[in-house]
Amino acid sequence: MSEISKWLKIIALSMLALIMAAIVGITSFVDPNDYAPDIEAVAGDNQLILDIQGDISWQFFPQLGISVKRIVFSNNVISAGSIDELVITAGLLNLLNTDFDQANLPIDSIKVVNGRARYIAPNLLPVQFDNIAISINNFSLDGGETDFSASAAVFGDLPLSIEATVALSHDGQKPNRVNATNLQLNVDQISINGHINADLENAQIVGKLSSPSINIRRQLKAIQLKLPIFSIPVMASATALTDVHFNSEFSINSKGYSNYTHQLFIDNQKFDVTVEADQTTGLMNTSVTSNQFRLHDYLPPQGSPSNNMQTGAIFAPLALPFVMWSGESQIELSVNEITMQTFSVRNLYSRLVGRANFIQLTSLNADLLGGQLNATAEFDLRDKQPSFTLKPQLNTIDLSQAFLALTGNPDVGGELSGGVAVSGIGDNLVTIQQSLLGIGQFSVINPIFSTFNVEQTVCQSAAMLSGSNSSGSFAAGTQLDTLEGNLNFADGQLIISGINTAIGNLKLRGRSTVQMIEQRYTLNADALINGSKSSPTGCAINQRLQNQLIPFKCEGDFGPNSDGTPNCMPDQKVLGKLLQNTLLEKLGQKYLGVDSGKSTASGDATKDALKNFFQKKFGN
């Protein structure tokens, strides 16, 4: 045994002597800096601008290799890049094999120390990567497993890292297959795991990726610390976006058919997303389905500064899937229930079709507020100020549910049906409301106004000016016959004209103006009573008011702080003129003994009697 050990020592010392002799020979006769121009020329032939500004030196420990200092580079993707040091090492056994080619390079490891790169891409902001470190060990192009790891910092010091076991295959000219297993990508607090297999000859990539639970809210706060210009959206729920994870399988062919299957979980809400894209036809179909989505959790809380939705680019999320695909896209969305804070939307189905920045909503159907919504629309996002046309149709919407959900006061009831065609321009709600143009019609079956009684208001006004009483039986609110009207949008206003309805013998017609931004409204209405009583259980109507138009004016607001009670009054001047002779008659009968029959037509006898009365009392 001692004899074997002796021979092993002799062999090891001999190899060490040979290595030392080789090192001395290499360093004495070969200066790697002489090859810098050739390296830069080869890089230029491959569309990479390379400038080696530092020294190229031999490295002998812990492995034989070459160290290159201060490298500056750029290409059509990286506008500016640099590396403080690049180290390439080779195994001794690899060097003994002199049959070198592109698939059999004598490289064992590659190391990048302190790199920087400014990445640019069309339609995206430039991204700066700092502190880039790359380590590649057991380098191989013949299918062997290569250990790859890289890290960098973005947005100042937001950490990125990737690790994988990579197997590269080569056809003698270029790599033809890449298989990455044990893949782990980390972006600050976000982790993604999986594997990817790329067939470079057929431009086919298949793989599977998944993530553990991700706290998106916490990650957004971390990004805001790095980028103060980035604002975190204000959401009603404190737990919104705190538990997000996904499972994804994909098969991508950049020259043909691709498909993606995703399961996205957002706060225990599952979304199934399927994408099919065909480069040969330029068509992409996307399907998103879900059982439930608690949308109110992700909207600004009621009354918060963000609740006014003044943020620009309101249609940007809508355009994103279409901008990223150069051909025609179709997106279908199906959700069984979308819950808001005060109501739910059920059986929602929508279909969007578009190309780049022009999108059509060909179908939108949903059950809400006791009725149904159907709509079509077009969105043109090609200009700086997006424009749109919208054609919604409402059927049997329960107004009591609607007003309770939107204002918190179920003061208005009935079944609303109608449609409108409206167009607008702008990137925030205020601008859009100011630009709206459109027309439509509506009808309300069994309309109810619980805060005031129109009939009682008319009776009280008539009684006050006619000197009679307003006895009658009045309900707590107003129950009208079917209400109909026309809609017109212009100058930030919704004008409701041609309003017609009735209650008992009281016929109503009018016109209303709604200030959408200020959330105020004005109603100008004419009341016509064509009987001696306002209704079978109502008050008696003075003969002079029968078949006469009595103008009314109602004002109110429907903002979040409104109590919902309108201020409604008849036009006192008109009523006064209608009833002035009646008042004179009553005075004449009570104080002057004038026969009312003499003044029924004109009231001249009463006026003369009053004149004589005051002359006797006070003189001329």
Side-chain angles (χ1 to χ4, degrees):
M1 193 63 143
S2 60
E3 193 70 21
I4 295 176
S5 298
K6 179 181 178 181
W7 279 106
L8 289 174
K9 290 180 181 180
I10 293 173
I11 293 172
L13 291 172
S14 299
M15 292 183 65
L16 180 60
L18 289 173
I19 292 172
M20 295 299 295
I23 291 173
V24 173
I26 291 173
T27 57
S28 300
F29 298 105
V30 179
D31 184 358
N33 288 287
D34 295 339
Y35 295 93
D38 297 330
I39 297 172
E40 294 171 349
V42 171
D45 293 338
N46 290 275
Q47 289 78 48
L48 177 65
I49 301 174
L50 188 66
D51 181 14
I52 301 175
Q53 299 179 347
D55 291 333
I56 304 176
S57 59
W58 293 108
Q59 176 177 290
F60 301 104
F61 182 84
Q63 288 179 289
L64 179 64
I66 292 178
S67 172
V68 186
K69 300 290 184 66
R70 297 195 301 278
I71 302 172
V72 177
F73 63 93
S74 64
N75 59 13
N76 60 337
V77 175
I78 298 176
S79 61
S82 65
I83 297 173
D84 284 359
E85 183 179 16
L86 172 65
V87 179
I88 302 175
T89 66
L92 293 177
L93 294 179
N94 293 336
L95 290 174
L96 295 176
N97 181 7
T98 58
D99 185 18
F100 298 154
D101 56 34
Q102 294 187 35
N104 186 30
L105 297 175
I107 297 175
D108 183 68
S109 69
I110 301 173
K111 185 177 181 181
V112 173
V113 179
N114 196 22
R116 290 162 295 276
R118 184 175 177 82
Y119 174 81
I120 57 174
N123 302 321
L124 295 177
L125 293 174
V127 180
Q128 177 73 28
F129 295 90
D130 297 306
N131 303 324
I132 299 173
I134 300 175
S135 177
I136 301 174
N137 296 311
N138 304 318
F139 181 80
S140 173
L141 288 176
D142 60 2
E145 290 187 345
T146 298
D147 297 325
F148 174 84
S149 65
S151 63
V154 66
F155 302 141
D157 58 355
L158 194 70
L160 310 175
S161 67
I162 183 172
E163 295 182 0
T165 300
V166 180
L168 299 173
S169 299
H170 204 280
D171 63 1
Q173 299 294 326
K174 58 184 179 179
N176 61 359
R177 183 173 292 275
V178 179
N179 186 30
T181 58
N182 303 320
L183 177 64
Q184 183 170 350
L185 173 65
N186 297 297
V187 182
D188 197 18
Q189 304 166 28
I190 299 174
S191 179
I192 299 174
N193 308 308
H195 65 267
I196 297 175
N197 193 330
D199 183 349
L200 303 182
E201 285 186 342
N202 298 313
Q204 184 80 20
I205 301 175
V206 297
K208 179 183 290 186
L209 298 174
S210 63
S211 72
S213 178
I214 302 170
N215 190 326
I216 298 295
R217 180 188 289 269
R218 186 171 58 195
Q219 183 62 72
L220 291 175
K221 289 182 179 178
I223 294 175
Q224 187 182 36
L225 293 176
K226 317 298 181 185
L227 292 174
I229 193 174
F230 178 80
S231 61
I232 301 175
V234 179
M235 292 173 284
S237 172
T239 61
L241 298 181
T242 58
D243 181 14
V244 178
H245 58 100
F246 69 89
N247 298 313
S248 176
E249 296 185 23
F250 51 88
S251 175
I252 305 172
N253 191 315
S254 60
K255 299 179 181 178
Y257 174 80
S258 303
N259 68 80
Y260 312 78
T261 302
H262 310 284
Q263 288 182 332
L264 177 63
F265 299 85
I266 303 177
D267 303 323
N268 295 318
Q269 301 166 113
K270 179 184 176 184
F271 295 83
D272 293 309
V273 183
T274 302
V275 181
E276 296 180 332
D278 192 341
Q279 292 284 357
T280 61
T281 61
L283 298 177
M284 181 175 72
N285 294 320
T286 302
S287 171
V288 181
T289 61
S290 179
N291 183 53
Q292 185 186 48
F293 181 45
R294 300 185 300 273
L295 179 59
H296 61 88
D297 286 351
Y298 309 93
L299 296 176
Q302 189 74 20
S304 70
S306 299
N307 198 42
N308 55 16
M309 293 290 289
Q310 302 298 308
T311 305
I314 193 171
F315 297 119
L318 182 68
L320 187 59
F322 299 94
V323 172
M324 298 178 65
W325 178 254
S326 59
E328 182 175 319
S329 300
Q330 173 182 290
I331 299 178
E332 291 183 295
L333 173 65
S334 178
V335 183
N336 289 340
E337 182 180 21
I338 298 177
T339 59
M340 304 294 287
Q341 186 172 5
T342 55
F343 70 98
S344 295
V345 178
R346 300 180 185 274
N347 302 320
L348 173 69
Y349 172 81
S350 67
R351 179 176 179 267
L352 289 167
V353 178
R355 179 186 294 270
N357 289 316
F358 185 78
I359 306 164
Q360 292 178 300
L361 176 66
T362 61
S363 178
L364 173 61
N365 308 305
D367 298 330
L368 76 162
L369 301 171
Q372 294 79 40
L373 166 66
N374 300 287
T376 60
E378 289 185 354
F379 302 90
D380 190 344
L381 312 179
R382 291 171 290 189
D383 296 331
K384 183 177 180 180
Q385 290 288 323
S387 61
F388 68 93
T389 59
L390 178 63
K391 296 180 180 179
Q393 179 74 37
L394 298 173
N395 296 299
T396 64
I397 298 296
D398 187 336
L399 288 179
S400 62
Q401 292 187 37
F403 272 75
L404 178 62
L406 299 176
T407 68
N409 297 310
D411 300 328
V412 178
E415 289 187 355
L416 169 66
S417 297
V420 66
V422 64
S423 62
I425 187 171
D427 58 2
N428 61 73
L429 286 183
V430 171
T431 305
I432 290 171
Q433 287 176 331
Q434 291 174 334
S435 69
L436 287 180
L437 294 172
I439 58 174
Q441 301 81 34
F442 75 95
S443 66
V444 181
I445 299 175
N446 299 321
I448 300 173
F449 300 90
S450 62
T451 56
F452 71 102
N453 188 292
V454 173
E455 181 185 6
Q456 186 177 19
T457 301
V458 173
C459 289
Q460 290 174 342
S461 299
M464 178 182 66
L465 293 175
S466 64
S468 62
N469 61 61
S470 61
S471 60
S473 177
F474 303 106
T478 299
Q479 174 72 63
L480 297 172
D481 294 343
T482 297
L483 176 66
E484 296 179 341
N486 301 315
L487 304 173
N488 185 277
F489 292 88
D491 301 324
Q493 297 179 340
L494 168 59
I495 299 173
I496 307 173
S497 59
I499 301 174
N500 279 288
T501 187
I503 175 172
N505 295 325
L506 179 62
K507 309 299 181 183
L508 297 172
R509 66 185 186 187
R511 172 188 176 92
S512 179
T513 301
V514 180
Q515 304 289 343
M516 293 183 290
I517 298 175
E518 293 83 358
Q519 296 183 308
R520 291 191 57 81
Y521 67 88
T522 300
L523 170 65
N524 293 296
D526 291 328
L528 176 66
I529 304 175
N530 57 3
S532 60
K533 297 189 68 175
S534 61
S535 69
T537 61
C539 67
I541 299 299
N542 186 284
Q543 183 177 1
R544 294 186 182 276
L545 294 179
Q546 297 175 24
N547 298 313
Q548 296 285 347
L549 287 179
I550 304 173
F552 276 76
K553 184 175 184 180
C554 295
E555 294 180 332
D557 61 75
F558 52 91
N561 299 320
S562 169
D563 62 2
T565 303
N567 179 22
C568 291
M569 289 293 293
D571 191 322
Q572 302 295 327
K573 293 182 179 179
V574 174
L575 274 179
K577 291 180 179 179
L578 292 174
L579 296 171
Q580 63 178 345
N581 291 337
T582 302
L583 290 172
L584 294 174
E585 288 177 5
K586 291 184 176 295
L587 288 173
Q589 292 173 7
K590 184 172 182 179
Y591 297 108
L592 306 175
V594 178
D595 185 0
S596 61
K598 296 181 180 179
S599 58
T600 301
S602 64
D604 289 339
T606 304
K607 293 179 184 178
D608 292 340
L610 285 173
K611 182 179 179 181
N612 294 330
F613 173 79
F614 287 115
Q615 286 179 346
K616 291 179 180 178
K617 290 290 185 182
F618 303 106
N620 292 329

